[in-house]
Amino acid sequence: MSNQVGPTDATRQRILFASLQLFGLKGYQSTSIADILHAADAHSGSLYHFFPTKQDLLLAVLETYRDGIEPMLLAPAWTNVADPIERIFALLASYRRALESTDCTYGCPIGSLALELHEPDPAVRQLLAVNFLGWVRHVRACLDAARDRVPRDVDTELLATFILTTMEGGVMQSRTHRSLHAFDASVAMLRDYFNRLESAARRERP
Amino acid sequence: MSNQVGPTDATRQRILFASLQLFGLKGYQSTSIADILHAADAHSGSLYHFFPTKQDLLLAVLETYRDGIEPMLLAPAWTNVADPIERIFALLASYRRALESTDCTYGCPIGSLALELHEPDPAVRQLLAVNFLGWVRHVRACLDAARDRVPRDVDTELLATFILTTMEGGVMQSRTHRSLHAFDASVAMLRDYFNRLESAARRERP
């Protein structure tokens, strides 16, 4: 008896990871099944066994991102960052590092798929939406943990949505310009907004 | 002698307009040459005469958007809006109408192409960037026209970039959720930021 991953699960994981990487690098439609088989060093029989259609692969990739938000995205970004508002800016800084380390060719995979797929099947669109909502929920929890530093009449759900907007819009422009400038400009303006929100909250609670 | 558009120019225009519409609706890679010929009611000989490659079509579409910013986007949005800051929100409202009238399937065509094309040729990337920069330049001109309503230490180029970020990130999420909520949330937060900037500017200039 063993809890080790068996060869078939390992093959599934290789196919899934290759798909995740290729959809991120090349996009969904530009990635062929042959590309995935080559990158995963797998046979088409294995692929079709685990993922009967290319869309099944896409759904599994989107589920992987959904399940990875905490362990893969937030936990590394928040190591040694306890302050809830600084956690938001640390999360944004992790996207800046992704841009920087790829000469600004990085794109948020969820955002890219959300715009690449013009008529996604409901199951795909639903999982894209779930990924956005998961991100927003975690950022909102930071804002709620800093509730007394944000004016009372500011809705933290709207503000958290605006922070995802800032990340996605900044990444899109930086990727297009192949320059960090637009991302940095967007985060600088968001920081200025936060500074003003925190000042206003201090005036509310003398 | 006549200044009327000749039949060949008319064919070119039909092909170009069909491409612009299809790239916006379906994306670049999902649009086939056959789709374009069908929509434009044109023969392949005409298409290849004017546009030897599909990328030539894309470049012409991006040039059309670039040249259309003022007459097609800003002029309609700014009819009867004189106040420079209200012009910014009127521009954002025109994107909201595009979302609303398409049941939130609308995507900014430049933003969608910027994320769909993962390794665009330099000429394509350059024209995507030029479109973003044109948008930002016009918004910055509004901010500069309202310079005394924005605190002195706020850089209007960074703020204008942040406004494009707000539009693109908001459209992306609203399209994914098939709901205006995320776009409205983003614009509401931007308006709150502007209210705080204008209050601060008034305190600077008593």
Side-chain angles (χ1 to χ4, degrees), chain B residues 98-113:
Chain B
L99 283 165
E100 201 172 21
S101 66
T102 59
D103 293 324
C104 292
T105 60
Y106 173 81
C108 162
I110 306 303
S112 298
L113 287 165

Side-chain angles (χ1 to χ4, degrees), chain A residues 34-197:
Chain A
D35 291 336
I36 295 168
L37 293 175
H38 180 75
D41 191 21
H43 298 289
S44 58
S46 311
L47 187 147
Y48 292 116
H49 170 71
F50 292 115
F51 306 102
T53 69
K54 192 178 170 191
Q55 180 166 305
D56 291 317
L57 264 172
L58 177 59
L59 293 170
V61 163
L62 292 173
E63 285 165 357
T64 304
Y65 279 120
R66 175 198 63 197
D67 299 340
I69 290 182
E70 273 198 86
M72 304 300 287
L73 182 67
L74 302 179
W78 291 350
T79 309
N80 302 320
V81 184
D83 182 274
I85 288 178
E86 292 317 308
R87 284 190 161 197
I88 292 169
F89 287 93
L91 176 58
L92 295 172
S94 74
Y95 286 90
R96 187 187 200 276
R97 284 194 296 278
L99 283 166
E100 200 171 22
S101 66
T102 58
D103 294 324
C104 291
T105 61
Y106 173 82
C108 162
I110 307 303
S112 298
L113 287 165
L115 293 191
E116 181 195 335
L117 303 171
H118 282 247
E119 289 169 29
D121 277 359
V124 172
R125 193 178 61 70
Q126 183 67 21
L127 269 171
L128 290 166
V130 160
N131 270 280
F132 280 153
L133 291 173
W135 202 101
V136 167
R137 190 176 62 248
H138 285 286
V139 168
R140 185 187 186 176
C142 292
L143 294 170
D144 287 335
R147 195 65 192 88
D148 60 349
R149 289 158 64 191
V150 176
R152 287 191 192 90
D153 65 350
V154 171
D155 182 320
T156 56
E157 194 271 328
L158 304 192
L159 183 54
T161 300
F162 188 48
I163 293 164
L164 178 54
T165 287
T166 301
M167 184 281 278
E168 292 289 1
V171 165
M172 176 193 285
Q173 287 174 79
S174 272
R175 171 187 162 80
T176 305
H177 293 304
R178 293 282 192 274
S179 150
L180 290 164
H181 174 74
F183 186 83
D184 286 344
S186 301
V187 173
M189 291 290 91
L190 184 70
R191 176 65 89 171
D192 182 64
Y193 183 35
F194 263 86
N195 289 343
R196 292 176 197 280
L197 290 174

Side-chain angles (χ1 to χ4, degrees), chain A residues 1-6:
Chain A
M1 298 248 302
S2 159
N3 287 321
Q4 277 191 291
V5 172

Side-chain angles (χ1 to χ4, degrees), chain B residues 32-78:
Chain B
S32 68
I33 295 295
D35 292 335
I36 295 168
L37 293 175
H38 180 75
D41 191 20
H43 297 290
S44 59
S46 310
L47 188 146
Y48 291 116
H49 170 71
F50 292 115
F51 306 103
T53 70
K54 193 177 171 191
Q55 180 166 304
D56 291 316
L57 264 171
L58 177 60
L59 293 170
V61 163
L62 292 173
E63 285 165 358
T64 303
Y65 280 120
R66 176 198 62 198
D67 299 340
I69 290 182
E70 274 198 86
M72 304 299 288
L73 182 68
L74 302 180
W78 291 351

